[in-house]
Amino acid sequence: MSDDLSPIHNRVTQLLGVDYPIIQAPMGWIARSQLASAVSNAGGLGIIETSSGELDNVRAEIAKMADLTDKPFGVNIAQAFVRDPGIAQFVIDQGVRFVTTSAGDPTKYTAQLKAAGLTVFHVVPTLAAALKAVAAGVDGLVVEGGEGGGFKNPRDVASMVLLPLVCSRVQVPVVAAGGITDGVSMAAAFALGAQGVQMGTRMVSAAESPVHDHWKQAIVQAAETDTVFLNRFSKPGLRALRTERTSRLEHQDHVEMSEMATALDLYFGGDMEASIALTGQVAGRIDAVLPVEQIIHDTVREFRHTVRELAQHG
Ligand SMILES: Cc1cc2nc3c(=O)[nH]c(=O)nc-3n(C[C@H](O)[C@H](O)[C@H](O)COP(=O)(O)O)c2cc1C
């Protein structure tokens, strides 16, 4: 395989100011400076979460980023979790240049964030949501297939269908999320029209991820069938790792979000039955805990190799 780690030049890397169009997903409590700085230092884009709602800690984590990396990074506003009405101004005040908004109405913060000079990508699970975000003036989209981990539209659509559909209807650059873990999945996303990828589950399992090793090992052990979809006929839908607890919850008409109240006992205490471990189907393709730099560089190498192979056979 080629060892070409030269920068990839496209609209996403241009907008983000990074070498590789590989974004680390925002994830409550997990997407903090330890993980995000490793991603940015490896040439991707680290993202700091705000969905924990712990804005004092988030502010401190953003300040730490300045010590840990001189590369760009971003912040996510997961709108469904926003408790502070001043969240957009909070993000602007932190001096970051890139923000993703998710789980909410794109008309709510886009104008304010863009007026302050930020680049705004909105996360969408459907074509209708994509068109609404484009109309709201976003710079790009994160198109999130239903195979991904985390909070999901109960009417989930797989990336294989959603990506080409959205990409055929919008002009803004698209980042693919859901099921991306390596160079072949990145190449597939690019074939479907994306110009960037976002990795969630892969980054939960990375060496620099702050979560307990029990969760990382559960991802490594998981088969592709080892996630459950909770709240299929209710809200909010979410995809999580199959455990005894979530196998029971899967059959409930409605899963209360109080189930997440003990999330930190699972995330950092390692008690896999304490709460819900948000995880995507791609866990079935992850078989080792690897350092972020290796994940990103292997992805770039395999992406280039795959694209060249495909070109030869075309
Ligand atoms: C543990 C976990 C927490 C997440 N939290 C957030 C979040 O706070 N905001 C958000 O926009 N997406 C969140 N997501 C979704 C991810 O951003 C990402 O789009 C998704 O994980 C991609 O699919 P993958 O898991 O197959 O990589 C979360 C996902 C996981 C696995």
Side-chain angles (χ1 to χ4, degrees):
M1 202 173 297
S2 132
D3 202 33
D4 183 0
L5 284 172
S6 59
I8 293 173
H9 299 289
N10 69 14
R11 290 168 77 195
V12 168
T13 52
Q14 247 165 27
L15 275 171
L16 272 48
V18 294
D19 283 351
Y20 312 124
I22 302 175
I23 300 177
Q24 159 249 311
M27 299 178 282
W29 291 276
I30 302 169
R32 294 208 170 167
S33 59
Q34 181 176 308
L35 180 60
S37 64
V39 173
S40 291
N41 283 332
L45 189 86
I47 300 240
I48 301 285
E49 57 87 18
T50 62
S51 49
S52 63
E54 298 175 350
L55 294 191
D56 286 342
N57 289 339
V58 168
R59 188 184 291 109
E61 289 293 310
I62 293 172
K64 268 196 221 165
M65 287 296 280
D67 298 330
L68 296 171
T69 184
D70 55 1
K71 301 280 176 53
F73 62 95
V75 172
N76 169 246
I77 301 176
Q79 297 178 217
F81 303 100
V82 168
R83 277 165 256 165
D84 182 339
I87 187 80
Q89 192 56 47
F90 170 85
V91 170
I92 292 165
D93 291 345
Q94 305 313 306
V96 289
R97 312 303 319 152
F98 178 72
V99 64
T100 59
T101 51
S102 55
D105 183 346
T107 60
K108 190 157 184 190
Y109 299 121
T110 303
Q112 185 184 357
L113 292 164
K114 282 191 60 72
L118 276 77
T119 299
V120 181
F121 276 42
H122 191 69
V123 182
V124 295
T126 62
L127 174 61
L131 297 178
K132 186 172 178 184
V134 169
V138 298
D139 299 289
L141 298 172
V142 177
V143 172
E144 197 177 52
E147 63 270 69
F151 288 82
K152 290 276 142 321
N153 189 326
R155 296 187 178 176
D156 58 319
V157 181
S159 295
M160 183 67 100
V161 172
L162 187 61
L163 266 178
L165 181 64
V166 171
C167 291
S168 70
R169 295 286 301 275
V170 303
Q171 306 301 317
V172 297
V174 163
V175 170
I180 312 291
T181 187
D182 55 9
V184 288
S185 45
M186 177 170 165
F190 274 53
L192 297 174
Q195 295 191 34
V197 292
Q198 173 166 290
M199 297 183 188
T201 302
R202 175 93 242 190
M203 292 299 171
V204 174
S205 70
E208 292 88 342
S209 160
V211 308
H212 196 282
D213 199 49
H214 286 173
W215 189 359
K216 298 184 190 183
Q217 293 307 328
I219 290 173
V220 168
Q221 300 299 324
E224 75 280 18
T225 47
D226 281 341
T227 64
V228 296
F229 198 105
L230 305 181
N231 282 342
R232 169 72 68 193
F233 302 106
S234 177
K235 273 191 174 175
L238 53 141
R239 185 174 295 287
L241 195 66
R242 181 180 297 284
T243 59
E244 283 179 25
R245 185 179 189 125
T246 59
S247 295
R248 274 197 312 277
L249 295 175
E250 192 181 17
H251 298 283
Q252 273 179 216
D253 287 344
H254 180 67
V255 176
E256 294 288 343
M257 280 310 96
S258 55
E259 286 285 337
M260 296 300 287
T262 43
L264 300 191
D265 296 339
L266 187 157
Y267 282 28
F268 305 113
D271 178 356
M272 295 304 293
E273 296 297 340
S275 181
I276 296 171
L278 303 173
T279 303
Q281 291 176 343
V282 75
R285 296 197 58 233
I286 295 170
D287 53 16
V289 172
L290 298 175
V292 161
E293 187 181 79
Q294 189 178 343
I295 292 171
I296 291 186
H297 290 183
D298 284 355
T299 296
V300 170
R301 288 190 196 97
E302 192 183 48
F303 167 75
R304 287 205 157 104
H305 176 76
T306 307
V307 170
R308 282 181 194 135
E309 285 278 303
L310 289 171
Q312 273 173 22
H313 295 112

